[in-house]
Amino acid sequence: MVVEKDGLECNCGRKGCFEKYASMKAFKNNLRKALGYDENFSGKELLALIKNIKKEDENYKIINKIKQEYIEYLAIGLANLINIFEPEVIGIGGSFVYFEDVLLDDLKKEIISKNMLFNKRKELNIQTAVLGNEAGIIGAVL
Ligand SMILES: [Zn+2]
């Protein structure tokens, strides 16, 4: 699903794909790049940084800008899907689950405040996967 016309090149051969902007991989890589860290700076470390950042810290604005961009793209993509399929609930898995505290409320606010949903009567129900990032592994074992 394209969310950005003439956007970043994707492995699928198209440009501006949802995945290039709204995946956790993209979010974490954008944070690392903007903050000057390499790929050895883990997702866990990034999460700790986001949770502990204070308004007066020099990286506060950078982190919030990257976070806001990520939220905007994720909101656009999810709103597209919600408007087409009208699901009762959206379940987000993967490493987003670990970042739920710093992302989920902002994501819901973005979709609601920007009036992205066609059907205004529907409640917006977005939840994170209870098995977290291990769902695929657990499913494979079962
Ligand atoms: Zn693609």
Side-chain angles (χ1 to χ4, degrees), residues 53-102:
I53 197 85
K54 292 180 178 61
K55 253 193 168 141
E56 60 272 18
D57 293 344
E58 60 175 331
N59 288 331
Y60 181 82
K61 274 188 180 168
I62 296 171
I63 288 174
N64 266 316
K65 184 174 173 272
I66 304 275
K67 196 177 112 180
Q68 183 54 31
E69 280 173 0
Y70 170 76
I71 295 281
E72 285 172 20
Y73 282 114
L74 185 56
I76 289 169
L78 289 182
N80 287 343
L81 293 170
I82 293 168
N83 287 335
I84 295 167
F85 298 109
E86 299 242 321
E88 286 178 27
V89 60
I90 294 273
I92 303 179
S95 64
F96 183 95
V97 173
Y98 305 125
F99 287 74
E100 176 178 357
D101 292 350
V102 295

Short mmCIF file of all heavy atoms in Angstrom, two decimals, residues 53-102:
data_model
loop_
_atom_site.label_atom_id
_atom_site.label_comp_id
_atom_site.label_asym_id
_atom_site.label_seq_id
_atom_site.Cartn_x
_atom_site.Cartn_y
_atom_site.Cartn_z
N ILE A 53 13.40 10.56 28.05
CA ILE A 53 13.78 11.87 27.51
C ILE A 53 13.00 12.98 28.22
O ILE A 53 11.82 12.83 28.53
CB ILE A 53 13.57 11.92 25.97
CG1 ILE A 53 14.33 13.09 25.36
CG2 ILE A 53 12.12 11.97 25.59
CD1 ILE A 53 15.76 12.79 25.05
N LYS A 54 13.70 14.08 28.49
CA LYS A 54 13.05 15.23 29.12
C LYS A 54 13.05 16.40 28.15
O LYS A 54 13.90 16.47 27.28
CB LYS A 54 13.80 15.59 30.40
CG LYS A 54 13.64 14.51 31.46
CD LYS A 54 14.38 14.86 32.74
CE LYS A 54 14.16 13.79 33.80
NZ LYS A 54 14.64 12.46 33.39
N LYS A 55 12.07 17.26 28.36
CA LYS A 55 11.89 18.39 27.44
C LYS A 55 13.16 19.20 27.22
O LYS A 55 13.40 19.71 26.13
CB LYS A 55 10.78 19.31 27.96
CG LYS A 55 9.53 19.18 27.13
CD LYS A 55 8.54 20.28 27.41
CE LYS A 55 7.48 20.23 26.33
NZ LYS A 55 6.16 20.47 26.73
N GLU A 56 13.99 19.32 28.23
CA GLU A 56 15.19 20.15 28.12
C GLU A 56 16.37 19.42 27.46
O GLU A 56 17.37 20.04 27.12
CB GLU A 56 15.60 20.71 29.49
CG GLU A 56 15.91 19.66 30.56
CD GLU A 56 14.68 19.21 31.35
OE1 GLU A 56 13.54 19.42 30.89
OE2 GLU A 56 14.86 18.62 32.43
N ASP A 57 16.23 18.11 27.24
CA ASP A 57 17.32 17.36 26.58
C ASP A 57 17.44 17.76 25.12
O ASP A 57 16.45 18.05 24.47
CB ASP A 57 17.05 15.85 26.68
CG ASP A 57 17.14 15.33 28.11
OD1 ASP A 57 17.69 16.06 28.96
OD2 ASP A 57 16.64 14.23 28.38
N GLU A 58 18.69 17.73 24.63
CA GLU A 58 18.93 18.18 23.26
C GLU A 58 18.24 17.29 22.21
O GLU A 58 17.90 17.76 21.14
CB GLU A 58 20.43 18.28 22.97
CG GLU A 58 21.18 16.96 23.14
CD GLU A 58 22.64 17.07 22.72
OE1 GLU A 58 22.94 17.88 21.84
OE2 GLU A 58 23.47 16.33 23.29
N ASN A 59 18.04 16.02 22.53
CA ASN A 59 17.43 15.11 21.55
C ASN A 59 15.90 15.07 21.61
O ASN A 59 15.28 14.37 20.82
CB ASN A 59 17.99 13.70 21.73
CG ASN A 59 19.42 13.61 21.26
OD1 ASN A 59 19.84 14.34 20.37
ND2 ASN A 59 20.19 12.72 21.88
N TYR A 60 15.33 15.82 22.52
CA TYR A 60 13.88 15.78 22.71
C TYR A 60 13.11 16.10 21.42
O TYR A 60 12.22 15.38 21.01
CB TYR A 60 13.46 16.76 23.82
CG TYR A 60 11.98 16.78 24.11
CD1 TYR A 60 11.39 15.83 24.93
CD2 TYR A 60 11.16 17.75 23.53
CE1 TYR A 60 10.03 15.85 25.18
CE2 TYR A 60 9.80 17.78 23.78
CZ TYR A 60 9.23 16.83 24.60
OH TYR A 60 7.89 16.84 24.84
N LYS A 61 13.52 17.20 20.78
CA LYS A 61 12.82 17.62 19.55
C LYS A 61 13.01 16.61 18.42
O LYS A 61 12.08 16.32 17.67
CB LYS A 61 13.34 19.00 19.10
CG LYS A 61 12.63 20.14 19.77
CD LYS A 61 13.04 21.46 19.15
CE LYS A 61 12.33 22.60 19.85
NZ LYS A 61 12.88 23.90 19.50
N ILE A 62 14.22 16.08 18.31
CA ILE A 62 14.53 15.11 17.25
C ILE A 62 13.67 13.86 17.42
O ILE A 62 13.03 13.40 16.48
CB ILE A 62 16.03 14.72 17.28
CG1 ILE A 62 16.90 15.95 16.97
CG2 ILE A 62 16.32 13.59 16.30
CD1 ILE A 62 18.39 15.74 17.18
N ILE A 63 13.66 13.34 18.64
CA ILE A 63 12.90 12.12 18.92
C ILE A 63 11.41 12.35 18.64
O ILE A 63 10.75 11.53 18.01
CB ILE A 63 13.13 11.64 20.37
CG1 ILE A 63 14.54 11.09 20.49
CG2 ILE A 63 12.09 10.61 20.78
CD1 ILE A 63 14.96 10.71 21.89
N ASN A 64 10.89 13.48 19.10
CA ASN A 64 9.47 13.75 18.88
C ASN A 64 9.11 13.94 17.42
O ASN A 64 8.02 13.55 16.98
CB ASN A 64 9.03 14.96 19.70
CG ASN A 64 8.47 14.50 21.03
OD1 ASN A 64 7.70 13.54 21.10
ND2 ASN A 64 8.88 15.15 22.09
N LYS A 65 10.02 14.53 16.66
CA LYS A 65 9.77 14.72 15.22
C LYS A 65 9.69 13.36 14.52
O LYS A 65 8.77 13.11 13.75
CB LYS A 65 10.90 15.57 14.61
CG LYS A 65 10.70 15.92 13.16
CD LYS A 65 11.80 16.88 12.69
CE LYS A 65 11.72 17.11 11.21
NZ LYS A 65 12.48 16.11 10.43
N ILE A 66 10.66 12.49 14.81
CA ILE A 66 10.68 11.15 14.18
C ILE A 66 9.44 10.36 14.61
O ILE A 66 8.80 9.70 13.80
CB ILE A 66 11.95 10.37 14.61
CG1 ILE A 66 13.20 11.16 14.27
CG2 ILE A 66 11.94 8.96 14.03
CD1 ILE A 66 13.75 11.02 12.91
N LYS A 67 9.11 10.45 15.89
CA LYS A 67 7.95 9.74 16.42
C LYS A 67 6.67 10.24 15.75
O LYS A 67 5.83 9.44 15.32
CB LYS A 67 7.88 9.94 17.93
CG LYS A 67 6.98 8.96 18.64
CD LYS A 67 7.02 9.18 20.14
CE LYS A 67 5.67 9.70 20.56
NZ LYS A 67 5.57 9.96 22.00
N GLN A 68 6.54 11.55 15.63
CA GLN A 68 5.33 12.12 15.04
C GLN A 68 5.20 11.71 13.57
O GLN A 68 4.11 11.36 13.12
CB GLN A 68 5.33 13.65 15.19
CG GLN A 68 4.07 14.33 14.67
CD GLN A 68 2.77 13.76 15.26
OE1 GLN A 68 2.75 13.30 16.41
NE2 GLN A 68 1.70 13.77 14.48
N GLU A 69 6.32 11.73 12.83
CA GLU A 69 6.27 11.31 11.42
C GLU A 69 5.84 9.85 11.31
O GLU A 69 5.02 9.50 10.46
CB GLU A 69 7.66 11.47 10.77
CG GLU A 69 7.94 12.90 10.36
CD GLU A 69 9.36 13.11 9.86
OE1 GLU A 69 10.15 12.14 9.84
OE2 GLU A 69 9.69 14.25 9.52
N TYR A 70 6.40 9.03 12.18
CA TYR A 70 6.05 7.61 12.17
C TYR A 70 4.56 7.42 12.47
O TYR A 70 3.87 6.69 11.76
CB TYR A 70 6.91 6.86 13.21
CG TYR A 70 6.46 5.46 13.45
CD1 TYR A 70 6.73 4.45 12.53
CD2 TYR A 70 5.73 5.13 14.59
CE1 TYR A 70 6.29 3.16 12.74
CE2 TYR A 70 5.29 3.84 14.81
CZ TYR A 70 5.57 2.86 13.88
OH TYR A 70 5.13 1.59 14.09
N ILE A 71 4.09 8.12 13.49
CA ILE A 71 2.67 8.04 13.87
C ILE A 71 1.77 8.49 12.71
O ILE A 71 0.75 7.86 12.42
CB ILE A 71 2.40 8.93 15.11
CG1 ILE A 71 3.13 8.42 16.34
CG2 ILE A 71 0.89 9.10 15.36
CD1 ILE A 71 2.51 7.27 17.04
N GLU A 72 2.16 9.56 12.04
CA GLU A 72 1.35 10.07 10.93
C GLU A 72 1.21 9.03 9.81
O GLU A 72 0.12 8.79 9.32
CB GLU A 72 1.95 11.36 10.36
CG GLU A 72 1.73 12.56 11.26
CD GLU A 72 2.48 13.81 10.81
OE1 GLU A 72 2.88 13.89 9.62
OE2 GLU A 72 2.68 14.70 11.65
N TYR A 73 2.33 8.42 9.42
CA TYR A 73 2.27 7.42 8.35
C TYR A 73 1.50 6.18 8.80
O TYR A 73 0.71 5.63 8.03
CB TYR A 73 3.68 7.03 7.88
CG TYR A 73 4.29 8.06 6.97
CD1 TYR A 73 5.40 8.80 7.35
CD2 TYR A 73 3.74 8.29 5.70
CE1 TYR A 73 5.96 9.74 6.50
CE2 TYR A 73 4.29 9.23 4.85
CZ TYR A 73 5.40 9.96 5.24
OH TYR A 73 5.93 10.89 4.40
N LEU A 74 1.73 5.74 10.02
CA LEU A 74 1.02 4.57 10.51
C LEU A 74 -0.49 4.86 10.56
O LEU A 74 -1.30 4.02 10.17
CB LEU A 74 1.55 4.18 11.90
CG LEU A 74 1.00 2.89 12.52
CD1 LEU A 74 1.21 1.69 11.59
CD2 LEU A 74 1.65 2.62 13.87
N ALA A 75 -0.84 6.05 10.99
CA ALA A 75 -2.26 6.44 11.07
C ALA A 75 -2.89 6.47 9.67
O ALA A 75 -4.01 5.98 9.48
CB ALA A 75 -2.39 7.81 11.73
N ILE A 76 -2.19 7.02 8.70
CA ILE A 76 -2.70 7.07 7.32
C ILE A 76 -2.96 5.66 6.79
O ILE A 76 -4.03 5.36 6.26
CB ILE A 76 -1.71 7.82 6.38
CG1 ILE A 76 -1.71 9.32 6.70
CG2 ILE A 76 -2.07 7.58 4.91
CD1 ILE A 76 -0.59 10.09 6.02
N GLY A 77 -1.98 4.78 6.96
CA GLY A 77 -2.12 3.42 6.46
C GLY A 77 -3.24 2.66 7.16
O GLY A 77 -4.05 1.99 6.51
N LEU A 78 -3.28 2.77 8.48
CA LEU A 78 -4.32 2.05 9.23
C LEU A 78 -5.71 2.60 8.92
O LEU A 78 -6.66 1.84 8.78
CB LEU A 78 -4.05 2.11 10.74
CG LEU A 78 -2.87 1.28 11.24
CD1 LEU A 78 -2.74 1.40 12.75
CD2 LEU A 78 -2.99 -0.18 10.84
N ALA A 79 -5.80 3.92 8.80
CA ALA A 79 -7.10 4.53 8.47
C ALA A 79 -7.57 4.06 7.09
O ALA A 79 -8.76 3.80 6.89
CB ALA A 79 -7.01 6.05 8.53
N ASN A 80 -6.64 3.92 6.13
CA ASN A 80 -7.00 3.37 4.82
C ASN A 80 -7.62 1.99 4.97
O ASN A 80 -8.67 1.70 4.38
CB ASN A 80 -5.76 3.25 3.92
CG ASN A 80 -5.25 4.58 3.41
OD1 ASN A 80 -5.96 5.59 3.46
ND2 ASN A 80 -4.02 4.61 2.95
N LEU A 81 -6.96 1.15 5.76
CA LEU A 81 -7.45 -0.22 5.95
C LEU A 81 -8.79 -0.24 6.69
O LEU A 81 -9.69 -0.98 6.34
CB LEU A 81 -6.41 -1.05 6.71
CG LEU A 81 -5.10 -1.29 5.96
CD1 LEU A 81 -4.05 -1.88 6.88
CD2 LEU A 81 -5.34 -2.19 4.76
N ILE A 82 -8.90 0.59 7.72
CA ILE A 82 -10.14 0.64 8.49
C ILE A 82 -11.29 1.10 7.60
O ILE A 82 -12.39 0.55 7.63
CB ILE A 82 -10.00 1.58 9.71
CG1 ILE A 82 -9.00 0.98 10.72
CG2 ILE A 82 -11.35 1.82 10.39
CD1 ILE A 82 -8.55 1.94 11.82
N ASN A 83 -11.03 2.10 6.76
CA ASN A 83 -12.08 2.63 5.89
C ASN A 83 -12.53 1.62 4.83
O ASN A 83 -13.68 1.63 4.40
CB ASN A 83 -11.62 3.93 5.23
CG ASN A 83 -11.59 5.08 6.22
OD1 ASN A 83 -12.31 5.06 7.22
ND2 ASN A 83 -10.75 6.06 5.96
N ILE A 84 -11.63 0.76 4.41
CA ILE A 84 -11.99 -0.25 3.41
C ILE A 84 -12.72 -1.43 4.07
O ILE A 84 -13.78 -1.85 3.63
CB ILE A 84 -10.74 -0.78 2.66
CG1 ILE A 84 -10.12 0.34 1.83
CG2 ILE A 84 -11.11 -1.96 1.76
CD1 ILE A 84 -8.73 0.01 1.31
N PHE A 85 -12.13 -1.95 5.14
CA PHE A 85 -12.62 -3.22 5.70
C PHE A 85 -13.51 -3.08 6.93
O PHE A 85 -14.17 -4.04 7.31
CB PHE A 85 -11.42 -4.13 6.04
CG PHE A 85 -10.60 -4.49 4.84
CD1 PHE A 85 -9.33 -3.96 4.65
CD2 PHE A 85 -11.10 -5.35 3.87
CE1 PHE A 85 -8.57 -4.28 3.54
CE2 PHE A 85 -10.36 -5.68 2.75
CZ PHE A 85 -9.09 -5.14 2.58
N GLU A 86 -13.49 -1.92 7.58
CA GLU A 86 -14.28 -1.70 8.79
C GLU A 86 -14.13 -2.84 9.79
O GLU A 86 -15.13 -3.44 10.22
CB GLU A 86 -15.75 -1.50 8.44
CG GLU A 86 -15.97 -0.29 7.55
CD GLU A 86 -16.84 0.77 8.20
OE1 GLU A 86 -17.81 0.42 8.89
OE2 GLU A 86 -16.53 1.96 8.02
N PRO A 87 -12.90 -3.16 10.18
CA PRO A 87 -12.72 -4.27 11.14
C PRO A 87 -13.22 -3.86 12.52
O PRO A 87 -13.26 -2.66 12.84
CB PRO A 87 -11.20 -4.45 11.16
CG PRO A 87 -10.66 -3.09 10.84
CD PRO A 87 -11.65 -2.48 9.88
N GLU A 88 -13.61 -4.84 13.32
CA GLU A 88 -14.05 -4.55 14.70
C GLU A 88 -12.85 -4.12 15.54
O GLU A 88 -12.96 -3.33 16.46
CB GLU A 88 -14.68 -5.78 15.32
CG GLU A 88 -16.07 -6.06 14.78
CD GLU A 88 -16.66 -7.33 15.38
OE1 GLU A 88 -16.29 -7.70 16.50
OE2 GLU A 88 -17.46 -7.95 14.68
N VAL A 89 -11.71 -4.70 15.20
CA VAL A 89 -10.51 -4.39 15.97
C VAL A 89 -9.29 -4.48 15.06
O VAL A 89 -9.27 -5.27 14.11
CB VAL A 89 -10.38 -5.32 17.20
CG1 VAL A 89 -10.28 -6.77 16.77
CG2 VAL A 89 -9.18 -4.96 18.06
N ILE A 90 -8.30 -3.65 15.34
CA ILE A 90 -7.00 -3.74 14.66
C ILE A 90 -6.02 -4.29 15.69
O ILE A 90 -5.94 -3.77 16.81
CB ILE A 90 -6.50 -2.35 14.20
CG1 ILE A 90 -7.41 -1.75 13.12
CG2 ILE A 90 -5.04 -2.40 13.76
CD1 ILE A 90 -7.06 -2.14 11.71
N GLY A 91 -5.32 -5.33 15.34
CA GLY A 91 -4.30 -5.89 16.22
C GLY A 91 -2.93 -5.62 15.65
O GLY A 91 -2.66 -5.94 14.50
N ILE A 92 -2.08 -5.01 16.44
CA ILE A 92 -0.72 -4.72 15.98
C ILE A 92 0.25 -5.63 16.74
O ILE A 92 0.22 -5.66 17.97
CB ILE A 92 -0.34 -3.25 16.20
CG1 ILE A 92 -1.33 -2.33 15.49
CG2 ILE A 92 1.08 -2.99 15.68
CD1 ILE A 92 -1.04 -0.85 15.69
N GLY A 93 1.06 -6.34 16.00
CA GLY A 93 2.04 -7.23 16.63
C GLY A 93 3.45 -6.71 16.41
O GLY A 93 3.65 -5.52 16.21
N GLY A 94 4.39 -7.64 16.45
CA GLY A 94 5.79 -7.25 16.24
C GLY A 94 6.32 -6.39 17.37
O GLY A 94 5.72 -6.32 18.44
N SER A 95 7.41 -5.70 17.11
CA SER A 95 8.06 -4.97 18.20
C SER A 95 7.32 -3.70 18.58
O SER A 95 7.65 -3.05 19.57
CB SER A 95 9.52 -4.66 17.85
OG SER A 95 9.60 -3.81 16.74
N PHE A 96 6.25 -3.37 17.84
CA PHE A 96 5.40 -2.24 18.25
C PHE A 96 4.89 -2.46 19.67
O PHE A 96 4.72 -1.52 20.44
CB PHE A 96 4.21 -2.11 17.28
CG PHE A 96 3.30 -0.93 17.57
CD1 PHE A 96 3.46 0.27 16.90
CD2 PHE A 96 2.27 -1.03 18.50
CE1 PHE A 96 2.64 1.36 17.16
CE2 PHE A 96 1.44 0.06 18.77
CZ PHE A 96 1.63 1.25 18.09
N VAL A 97 4.66 -3.74 19.99
CA VAL A 97 4.13 -4.12 21.31
C VAL A 97 4.99 -3.56 22.45
O VAL A 97 4.47 -3.06 23.43
CB VAL A 97 4.05 -5.67 21.41
CG1 VAL A 97 3.66 -6.11 22.79
CG2 VAL A 97 3.08 -6.20 20.37
N TYR A 98 6.31 -3.62 22.27
CA TYR A 98 7.20 -3.11 23.31
C TYR A 98 7.12 -1.59 23.44
O TYR A 98 7.41 -1.03 24.48
CB TYR A 98 8.65 -3.53 23.03
CG TYR A 98 8.82 -5.01 22.86
CD1 TYR A 98 9.41 -5.55 21.72
CD2 TYR A 98 8.36 -5.89 23.85
CE1 TYR A 98 9.54 -6.92 21.56
CE2 TYR A 98 8.49 -7.26 23.70
CZ TYR A 98 9.08 -7.76 22.55
OH TYR A 98 9.21 -9.12 22.40
N PHE A 99 6.75 -0.94 22.34
CA PHE A 99 6.69 0.52 22.32
C PHE A 99 5.27 1.04 22.55
O PHE A 99 5.01 2.22 22.38
CB PHE A 99 7.22 1.05 20.96
CG PHE A 99 8.71 0.94 20.80
CD1 PHE A 99 9.32 -0.28 20.57
CD2 PHE A 99 9.50 2.08 20.87
CE1 PHE A 99 10.70 -0.38 20.41
CE2 PHE A 99 10.89 1.99 20.71
CZ PHE A 99 11.48 0.76 20.48
N GLU A 100 4.37 0.14 22.92
CA GLU A 100 2.97 0.51 23.09
C GLU A 100 2.78 1.75 23.96
O GLU A 100 2.03 2.66 23.60
CB GLU A 100 2.22 -0.68 23.72
CG GLU A 100 0.76 -0.37 24.04
CD GLU A 100 0.02 -1.58 24.62
OE1 GLU A 100 0.61 -2.67 24.73
OE2 GLU A 100 -1.17 -1.41 24.96
N ASP A 101 3.47 1.81 25.09
CA ASP A 101 3.31 2.93 26.03
C ASP A 101 3.64 4.29 25.40
O ASP A 101 3.09 5.30 25.80
CB ASP A 101 4.23 2.76 27.24
CG ASP A 101 3.81 1.59 28.10
OD1 ASP A 101 2.72 1.05 27.86
OD2 ASP A 101 4.59 1.22 29.00
N VAL A 102 4.55 4.31 24.46
CA VAL A 102 4.97 5.59 23.89
C VAL A 102 4.35 5.86 22.51
O VAL A 102 4.56 6.93 21.95
CB VAL A 102 6.51 5.71 23.81
CG1 VAL A 102 7.11 5.71 25.20
CG2 VAL A 102 7.12 4.60 22.96
#
